[in-house]
Amino acid sequence: MRVLVLGADGYLGWATSMYFSIRGYEVMGVDNYFRRGAAEELDCTALVSSPDLDRRAAIWKGASGRDIHVRIGDVTDYPFIRGVFEEFMPESVIHYAEQPSAVYSMMDREKAALTVRNNLLSTLNIIYGVNEVVPDCHIVKLGTMGEYGTPDIDIEEGWIEIEHNGRRDRFLFPRQASSLYHTTKIQDTDMLWFYVRTWGLRVTDLMQGPVYGIQTDESVLDPRLMPNFHYDEIFGTVLNRFVVQGVAGYPLTVYGNGNQVRGYLNLKDTMQCVYLSVTRPAERGELRVFNQMTETFSVNELAERVRDVGDRMGYRVEIQKIENPRVEKEDHYYNPRYTGLLDLGLKPHYLTDEVLEGMFEMVEKYRDRINIDAIFRGIRWR
Ligand code: USQ
């Protein structure tokens, strides 16, 4: 089976490419190196410097004996991506080709415009490419739990039945994001749902929470295959940041009162979830939605876990509550349903102390590369 991974240079994209490749899939990875370039420009490169995709594919071939085909180009360039569809004729396309950072999208007008243009046009071009070239191809789209925001009711898995004035219908669950980036993901979902209804595409939307982790079962084969792990304020997710802060002796940056709750998952579980979605595709004319997370934590709980494990390992980890640079609810109800992927067979890797210890050990190996100045600059939402 042919799987096209768009955004293959990213934290999730490269790990996903190897995950499918080792399982016998023919994989083509596409990227325009947007995040690499932006991270260089903003002086916040990843903890581990990873070779470009062509070189990583060659290292992967040496380590596993398998090929990952690479094409460098921009998914917002329609002739380019249509050409990729014609050449590779994928049966599944995994869409990670988006500007992935909430913080980046809130920095200034240019970055807001880039986020809108990149995320919406890439999604539109994939929809057109699939419909014109491979209409049966299954689109697996990385959405985000942040699309739902933090409503004062239980969060259902994508859909909700509403009874109104004695009649019932099923709708996408209401969404109200707290960054422009998250808002573009809502718009992506709306666009996909429109074309599912209109053209009968098959789509799975994975509403993913913040991911943590630095290794997968494939990346252990060679350190040059590691995911590009960000710990900076712009591209790093909170738990990855906290572990690096713990190693660097930088007080953990808890925003506001730290009661914000999100649904988290291990990078290894992202691989499983995407794989399960590809192997059990949505039907034609179906928008299937899964909430992709395995457990919930408040920021305070994460900080305390990192401090306790770090202290036991001989680090002196402090927690510092700082004024929240974001506009988000700090005290809120949070009760999402996330049973769909478990029903498909997901076997979660929960956040144990051993997992945190493993992260500390990996980060320790690269501590000389930690750029303290990238950890917190205080980029404000308003
Ligand atoms: N936070 C802190 N201190 C920090 C960094 C973050 O307290 O140093 C807090 C944030 O205020 C937020 C929570 O931790 O309440 C999560 O923040 P995050 O930076 O880990 O996650 P977020 O910006 O929401 O975005 C990340 C990924 C994005 C993905 C999203 C899933 O960058 O691509 O879509 O997680 S979710 O949050 O469920 O929407």
Side-chain angles (χ1 to χ4, degrees):
M1 190 173 177
R2 291 177 302 282
V3 176
L4 180 62
V5 180
L6 305 177
D9 191 47
Y11 177 50
L12 308 177
W14 176 248
T16 302
S17 302
M18 292 190 293
Y19 194 91
F20 279 90
S21 176
I22 201 78
R23 285 165 178 75
Y25 285 71
E26 201 178 332
V27 177
M28 181 178 279
V30 173
D31 210 288
N32 66 348
Y33 295 139
F34 157 76
R35 192 227 2 106
R36 254 175 210 265
E40 291 270 341
E41 206 176 291
L42 297 163
D43 194 20
C44 57
T45 50
L47 182 67
V48 184
S49 73
S50 40
D52 67 24
L53 274 180
D54 282 311
R55 276 192 288 153
R56 269 195 279 176
I59 296 162
W60 173 245
K61 173 88 173 174
S64 70
R66 293 172 193 268
D67 289 300
I68 292 178
H69 313 287
V70 171
R71 297 290 178 273
I72 301 305
D74 190 336
V75 179
T76 68
D77 171 357
Y78 189 60
F80 164 74
I81 192 62
R82 194 192 147 110
V84 168
F85 277 109
E86 284 168 345
E87 177 194 2
F88 190 59
M89 300 296 284
E91 285 144 290
S92 291
V93 52
I94 301 169
H95 177 19
Y96 298 125
E98 300 219 327
Q99 189 297 93
S101 161
V103 182
Y104 184 93
S105 76
M106 301 299 290
M107 287 175 78
D108 57 39
R109 199 209 69 88
E110 276 65 40
K111 294 181 182 59
L114 182 145
T115 304
V116 170
R117 198 166 45 240
N118 183 82
N119 294 4
L120 298 187
L121 256 189
S122 63
T123 302
L124 184 74
N125 284 350
I126 292 161
I127 289 168
Y128 263 81
V130 165
N131 194 53
E132 290 178 354
V133 182
V134 278
D136 207 37
C137 175
H138 178 209
I139 300 173
V140 177
K141 163 73 172 60
L142 248 283
T144 157
M145 285 300 290
E147 291 179 47
Y148 301 123
T150 50
D152 212 20
I153 60 173
D154 296 344
I155 297 174
E156 299 299 324
E157 204 140 3
W159 301 92
I160 187 167
E161 287 248 337
I162 295 181
E163 187 174 329
H164 181 62
N165 293 346
R167 299 179 68 83
R168 293 184 78 79
D169 205 346
R170 180 173 175 262
F171 298 90
L172 281 168
F173 191 87
R175 290 154 305 144
Q176 42 189 359
S178 63
S179 80
L180 180 72
Y181 152 77
H182 288 97
T183 301
T184 62
K185 294 276 192 170
I186 294 176
Q187 293 165 326
D188 282 341
T189 303
D190 279 335
M191 200 154 49
L192 287 162
W193 176 217
F194 169 70
Y195 285 109
V196 163
R197 297 196 304 276
T198 307
W199 290 345
L201 301 181
R202 55 171 92 225
V203 178
T204 298
D205 199 353
L206 297 174
M207 312 291 269
Q208 182 170 251
V211 180
Y212 60 85
I214 190 166
Q215 280 285 26
T216 65
D217 294 341
E218 291 69 50
S219 68
V220 293
L221 295 176
D222 187 309
R224 293 167 299 175
L225 299 174
M226 277 172 64
N228 49 59
F229 177 93
H230 277 271
Y231 59 92
D232 54 276
E233 179 180 353
I234 301 170
F235 293 109
T237 49
V238 62
L239 184 58
N240 290 349
R241 283 167 59 60
F242 282 178
V243 172
V244 172
Q245 292 171 13
V247 170
Y250 192 106
L252 308 189
T253 52
V254 170
Y255 294 167
N257 71 14
N259 288 337
Q260 306 91 302
V261 180
R262 300 286 183 271
Y264 291 85
L265 77 162
N266 191 308
L267 177 60
K268 292 181 179 177
D269 291 342
T270 296
M271 302 301 107
Q272 280 193 71
C273 293
V274 172
Y275 186 76
L276 288 167
S277 302
V278 164
T279 51
R280 310 260 205 91
E283 302 292 331
R284 284 299 295 261
E286 181 190 11
L287 170 64
R288 183 175 58 164
V289 185
F290 292 126
N291 292 344
Q292 186 160 310
M293 51 181 280
T294 58
E295 42 193 340
T296 58
F297 297 104
S298 69
V299 177
N300 286 327
E301 285 169 327
L302 291 179
E304 283 157 18
R305 294 285 302 276
V306 168
R307 181 197 54 202
D308 293 350
V309 169
D311 282 352
R312 269 209 305 281
M313 293 176 76
Y315 297 95
R316 292 190 53 205
V317 183
E318 277 174 48
I319 298 176
Q320 188 175 27
K321 291 200 170 140
I322 53 182
E323 189 190 341
N324 197 336
R326 306 184 180 193
V327 177
E328 62 183 354
K329 281 189 209 155
E330 292 173 8
D331 295 296
H332 60 89
Y333 180 75
Y334 201 65
N335 188 25
R337 178 193 293 274
Y338 46 100
T339 53
L341 287 158
L342 293 168
D343 291 345
L344 279 191
L346 170 66
K347 302 272 180 291
H349 294 79
Y350 292 113
L351 182 64
T352 59
D353 287 358
E354 291 68 40
V355 167
L356 280 171
E357 280 160 22
M359 289 176 70
F360 266 94
E361 282 162 12
M362 281 306 298
V363 171
E364 178 61 46
K365 290 189 191 164
Y366 296 92
R367 70 177 304 152
D368 292 349
R369 283 187 49 93
I370 299 173
N371 172 8
I372 293 288
D373 296 337
I375 291 178
F376 184 72
R377 296 172 187 167
I379 296 159
R380 302 176 71 88
W381 257 222
R382 68 174 165 214

